[in-house]
Amino acid sequence: MEVEYRGANCVVIKNKKVLIVVDPTDNVSVKEMKNSDAVVLMTQKKFLPNEHNEQNFIIEMPGEYERNDVSIRGIPVRTHIGADEQAKNATMYSIEIDGVRIAVIGHTTAPLDDESLEDLGMIDVVIIPVGGGGYTLDARDAATIVRQISPKVVIPTHYADTQIKYEVTQESVENFVKELASIHEKNTAFKAKILPEALTIYELTRTS
């Protein structure tokens, strides 16, 4: 299993049997969206790009899903921005693939409540936005959620990038690295052959 970063909150999670694309919004380039077999996870319904393959298996709400020996659980959470602060109009996901348990957090609020943490269960890898700006989790809130979950690996997303147009200015990923104060590695992809013993931040190079 490996994870690649496409920019914004979009990552691609794949193995030999399944291809999962998370939040392929219109401001990022994701070649995998042309693959009719792709499973598309949306943390909010509005993030589905205007141009997408109608044959994609699209998941955009809470529930239990199964695809080629991969288990996906959608869990309702509050959106970071919304008129009703209590409404759970966003979805975070727990994914089990090749024996690795991944949490995709999305644009929610911190801290997570006890019910959400229980629904997530034990997690090895957390994928979480960190750019702040009032649009999504900032470095401090993202670090709070990571500490609540206690994974082995965290992959930050949705941070400042001169090649991506955001609705609001995003903070540097370095703010999150400093806030979490954990081991920090830079890679083109995360490959889950052996999980690290101590919490490690994997900053992935954006690819398309």
Side-chain angles (χ1 to χ4, degrees):
M1 183 278 292
E2 66 179 71
V3 181
E4 297 178 358
Y5 181 49
R6 297 288 183 260
N9 198 50
C10 183
V11 295
V12 172
I13 304 167
K14 59 186 177 180
N15 65 9
K16 293 180 179 180
K17 293 183 178 180
V18 72
L19 170 66
I20 301 172
V21 182
V22 177
D23 283 346
T25 43
D26 284 321
N27 61 336
V28 296
S29 175
V30 190
K31 62 181 182 295
E32 287 85 0
M33 286 297 290
K34 297 178 181 179
N35 189 327
S36 60
D37 292 328
V39 178
V40 181
L41 301 188
M42 311 304 303
T43 59
Q44 293 183 44
K45 293 182 181 180
K46 67 179 182 179
F47 292 155
L48 185 66
N50 294 322
E51 294 186 12
H52 62 275
N53 193 319
E54 296 294 338
Q55 294 181 322
N56 290 147
F57 180 38
I58 298 173
I59 300 173
E60 56 184 12
M61 64 181 66
E64 304 278 348
Y65 307 90
E66 191 84 21
R67 192 79 163 188
N68 295 342
D69 298 324
V70 174
S71 298
I72 300 171
R73 183 177 190 183
I75 301 163
V77 289
R78 290 180 294 162
T79 55
H80 192 267
I81 300 175
D84 185 348
E85 294 183 355
Q86 300 305 313
K88 293 187 174 183
N89 296 324
T91 306
M92 66 178 180
Y93 294 94
S94 172
I95 305 166
E96 185 163 354
I97 175 171
D98 292 346
V100 178
R101 295 156 298 187
I102 302 173
V104 176
I105 303 303
H107 304 287
T108 186
T109 57
L112 296 179
D113 59 35
D114 291 341
E115 182 180 4
S116 297
L117 287 171
E118 185 176 348
D119 287 341
L120 275 178
M122 297 294 293
I123 294 295
D124 301 307
V125 179
V126 168
I127 299 170
I128 190 167
V130 301
Y135 182 83
T136 190
L137 294 161
D138 60 17
R140 183 176 181 179
D141 284 345
T144 293
I145 289 178
V146 171
R147 293 186 184 108
Q148 283 184 286
I149 297 173
S150 296
K152 293 295 186 183
V153 170
V154 56
I155 298 172
T157 65
H158 213 286
Y159 47 80
D161 186 327
T162 57
Q163 300 301 313
I164 297 179
K165 184 177 180 180
Y166 289 116
E167 293 183 30
V168 295
T169 302
Q170 295 292 279
E171 300 171 3
S172 166
V173 68
E174 291 303 322
N175 291 356
F176 175 71
V177 172
K178 292 176 182 177
E179 182 68 36
L180 197 57
S182 298
I183 300 168
H184 177 210
E185 296 189 11
K186 296 183 179 182
N187 299 87
T188 55
F190 169 70
K191 298 182 180 181
K193 294 180 180 179
I194 300 177
L195 294 172
E197 302 224 350
L199 174 60
T200 302
I201 301 169
Y202 280 84
E203 179 186 341
L204 302 185
T205 304
R206 175 179 48 79
T207 56
S208 59

